[in-house]
Amino acid sequence: MTDKLESLNPATGDVVGVHAVDDPASVDAAVARARHAARWWTSGTFDERRQVLDQWSGVLTRRMAQLADVVHQETGKPHGDAQLEIGLAIEHLSWAAAHAGKVLGRRRVPSGLLMANQAATVEYLPLGVIGVIGPWNYPVFTPMGSIAYALAAGNAVVFKPSELTTGVGVWLADSLSEVLPDQALLQTVVGYGETGATLCRADIDKVAFTGSTATGRKVMAACAESLTPVVIEAGGKDALLVDEDADVLAAADAAAWGAFSNAGQTCTGVERVYVHERVHDRFVEELARRARRVHAGTDADAQLGPMTLPGQVDVVRRHIDDALSRGGRAVVGGPEAVEGRFIQPTVLVDVPEDSTAVTEETFGPTVTVARVRDMDEAVRLANGTSYGLGSTVFSRSRGPELARRLRSGMTAVNGVISFVGIPSLPFGGVGDSGFGRVHGPDGLKEFTYAKAVARQRMRPLLALTTFDRTPKADASFAALVTALHGRASQLVGRPLDLR
Ligand code: NAD
């Protein structure tokens, strides 16, 4: 008997979809179909691929409300928030389709004086079949960060959505089949973690994984068996810094959205805030005022939905309890903010830096705010984490300088999570937040391999790579290298000026 997977509405517990789980044989069959589609897709031009992907963008745009309904039902997030992530995903799809040719297409590169007789070119060729494994928190935007770029680069995709948002995954693959009914360019395989593990061991050319750091480790271990490369987009513990000269109201507004939107279930959500002591009290007051205006629920005015993942409620409760039992204070919310699957916004202050509320990813609508003497201390504390996904800086005079000192893949200056809406910017982390990049030119290249070609245009002046090489050629070569690089050796010992 085939196993069934029930998709539930997290707000009501209602079953909103029943899907047959793919066993290993059917995952392998999907990969084989994808391999066939990839051959066809690669044989086309960038322009032809762009036309198909633009048609798909059109379908997604026209059906945005319908897809938003599926996202709303499976995650519980407000319809408007679902629409926001779909709109941004469409923007990325269009960008990837439009820019793939320019970023990946063949181009001449200098061949250098020593190899002046050669014409050198580089291009970025598709890998083949990409396995995409996605999370549930942004079930359209997040996997599309890999799917759109992998397809635009000329690959076929087999997508294993989170078991909590299977309906969204099936909807996405069906919508592309409307444009391309005869080619299995994007297929969804259904299942739990086991299905993801099966996909990692299938005959694929790369895995793009987005999810928790713990699962990322398992994905990497499975892929190591066959030397299958991976992109890991994992969790975060993002910090927001507020400088003494910052626009405090704007910073409080950004902190509220960054911490509470999507009920805090955002990989680049704001989980920690470090505020200059001169503006700390005013910032906390403004943040608290905003937090009190936001509420989680099922009513039409609710800006926050439920915790999509049942187990997350306990994590959030544990972090709040740990913060309070170790001397922290809840300015808004607290333990009573946890009302079953719904959690009301919680602002915590005076929390020790080694509390789990500060050290572990909470993934709920809570935020810690700490007072700092200066921005050096803020940078040090913000960087005191094994994660390094996103970060935010509010400062009128030092934004870019502070941004650069933060160990994170992306930083928003005087805005929040703004980098995700700019398709030409790469997205990804360092440390426990993973490695590799989606979005932008780097995101396109992530799903390709560099192909270098050196073509001999004329016979070399110096025949060096032959057993007929003469002592004269050796001497000429030594003289040439000395002429080209000898001057640098005279500088050895002099102090370097690296400004
Ligand atoms: P998760 O790690 O539990 O699951 C992610 C996916 O991996 C799911 O599809 C799951 O079925 C699959 N999976 C589970 N075990 C597997 C295995 N052994 N082999 C292969 N696949 C397996 O994560 P989640 O709860 O769905 O998502 C939340 C996490 O994702 C948070 O940590 C969040 O920060 C992170 N996230 C990161 C980004 C990013 O871009 N960096 C974006 C969104 C979410």
Side-chain angles (χ1 to χ4, degrees):
M1 207 183 73
T2 320
D3 281 344
K4 299 273 187 226
L5 183 158
E6 282 188 344
S7 192
L8 305 177
N9 179 326
T12 60
D14 292 347
V15 176
V16 293
V18 180
H19 307 270
V21 171
D22 283 290
D23 61 15
S26 85
V27 171
D28 285 344
V31 171
R33 285 192 296 274
R35 177 77 53 206
H36 189 266
R39 270 188 219 111
W40 167 79
W41 189 234
T42 314
S43 69
T45 64
F46 283 110
D47 274 349
E48 286 164 345
R49 290 198 282 267
R50 180 181 183 174
Q51 280 173 33
V52 170
L53 296 178
D54 282 348
Q55 283 176 36
W56 188 29
S57 289
V59 172
L60 294 173
T61 308
R62 286 192 293 281
R63 303 262 206 87
M64 192 147 62
Q66 190 192 358
L67 178 55
D69 268 349
V70 185
V71 173
H72 169 68
Q73 284 188 2
E74 289 196 320
T75 63
K77 73 172 72 178
H79 207 273
D81 285 358
Q83 184 172 284
L84 186 60
E85 70 162 296
I86 298 165
L88 286 177
I90 294 170
E91 175 81 354
H92 277 277
L93 176 59
S94 299
W95 190 92
H99 290 79
K102 192 160 172 241
V103 174
L104 307 174
R106 190 149 62 109
R107 63 189 163 84
R108 281 281 295 266
V109 292
S111 45
L113 266 180
L114 286 178
M115 304 296 273
N117 67 318
Q118 302 281 329
T121 59
V122 63
E123 67 182 310
Y124 294 85
L125 298 176
L127 289 165
V129 178
I130 309 297
V132 173
I133 300 175
W136 46 264
N137 58 336
Y138 289 90
V140 176
F141 180 77
T142 297
M144 282 293 280
S146 298
I147 295 170
Y149 288 79
L151 292 177
N155 304 279
V157 171
V158 178
F159 173 36
K160 207 300 274 176
S162 163
E163 50 273 35
L164 302 183
T165 51
T166 303
V168 175
V170 170
W171 195 102
L172 280 175
D174 286 352
S175 68
L176 181 53
S177 323
E178 265 179 48
V179 177
L180 269 186
D182 301 328
Q183 296 291 344
L185 206 55
L186 170 63
Q187 300 166 85
T188 293
V189 290
V190 171
Y192 299 89
E194 220 171 274
T195 310
T198 303
L199 183 58
C200 292
R201 293 192 168 89
D203 177 28
I204 55 176
D205 301 293
K206 185 154 190 169
V207 170
F209 168 81
T210 310
S212 61
T213 305
T215 310
R217 289 197 174 95
K218 291 185 198 162
V219 165
M220 234 181 129
C223 289
E225 291 168 18
S226 54
L227 217 63
T228 302
V230 288
V231 187
I232 303 281
E233 299 289 352
K237 189 71 185 172
D238 291 5
L240 181 149
L241 274 51
V242 187
D243 201 354
E244 60 181 318
D245 68 350
D247 177 340
V248 173
L249 298 190
D253 207 53
W257 173 264
F260 309 136
S261 61
N262 207 30
Q265 303 164 113
T266 303
C267 52
T268 51
V270 173
E271 300 220 350
R272 303 174 290 150
V273 182
Y274 297 103
V275 194
H276 195 287
E277 58 187 6
R278 291 214 178 99
V279 291
H280 175 270
D281 293 353
R282 206 167 135 237
F283 173 85
V284 171
E285 198 180 298
E286 290 295 339
L287 175 61
R289 191 143 46 141
R290 283 161 177 77
R292 289 190 194 101
R293 288 206 303 254
V294 176
H295 76 279
T298 48
D299 54 295
D301 296 334
Q303 302 97 328
L304 311 185
M307 294 282 96
T308 308
L309 183 68
Q312 205 59 34
V313 176
D314 285 338
V315 176
V316 179
R317 188 186 287 119
R318 186 163 57 74
H319 287 184
I320 294 175
D321 289 349
D322 189 64
L324 300 186
S325 70
R326 318 244 336 261
R329 280 186 302 123
V331 180
V332 180
E336 63 283 0
V338 184
E339 303 162 357
R341 284 289 273 276
F342 292 90
I343 302 182
Q344 303 304 333
T346 292
V347 178
L348 301 162
V349 296
D350 300 336
V351 182
E353 282 294 303
D354 60 351
S355 161
T356 51
V358 180
T359 58
E360 291 178 12
E361 185 180 46
T362 306
F363 230 52
T366 69
V367 65
T368 61
V369 183
R371 183 193 303 269
V372 291
R373 276 188 314 280
D374 54 30
M375 285 298 104
D376 287 344
E377 186 182 11
V379 168
R380 184 175 57 76
L381 293 175
N383 285 343
T385 169
S386 56
Y387 289 112
L389 193 55
S391 54
T392 311
V393 172
F394 269 82
S395 171
R396 281 202 170 90
S397 57
R398 301 174 62 193
E401 176 220 322
L402 293 169
R404 202 154 173 268
R405 289 168 61 190
L406 288 169
R407 184 180 173 268
S408 67
M410 298 81 57
T411 302
V413 176
N414 298 333
V416 70
I417 324 184
S418 38
F419 39 77
V420 303
I422 302 173
S424 47
L425 280 180
F427 181 100
V430 291
D432 281 354
S433 295
F435 53 85
R437 293 294 181 265
V438 294
H439 301 176
D442 303 74
L444 284 165
K445 285 185 183 168
E446 193 71 55
F447 299 104
T448 63
Y449 66 97
K451 178 72 186 180
V453 174
R455 180 177 60 81
Q456 179 156 312
R457 291 185 297 133
M458 58 180 119
R459 285 162 62 92
L461 288 177
L462 285 177
L464 296 169
T465 52
T466 166
F467 290 111
D468 295 333
R469 196 172 63 212
T470 60
K472 191 171 166 223
D474 279 343
S476 301
F477 177 69
L480 187 57
V481 172
T482 307
L484 288 174
H485 305 289
R487 237 192 108 249
S489 66
Q490 293 164 10
L491 302 175
V492 171
R494 284 208 213 148
L496 284 178
D497 182 358
L498 289 179
R499 263 172 311 161

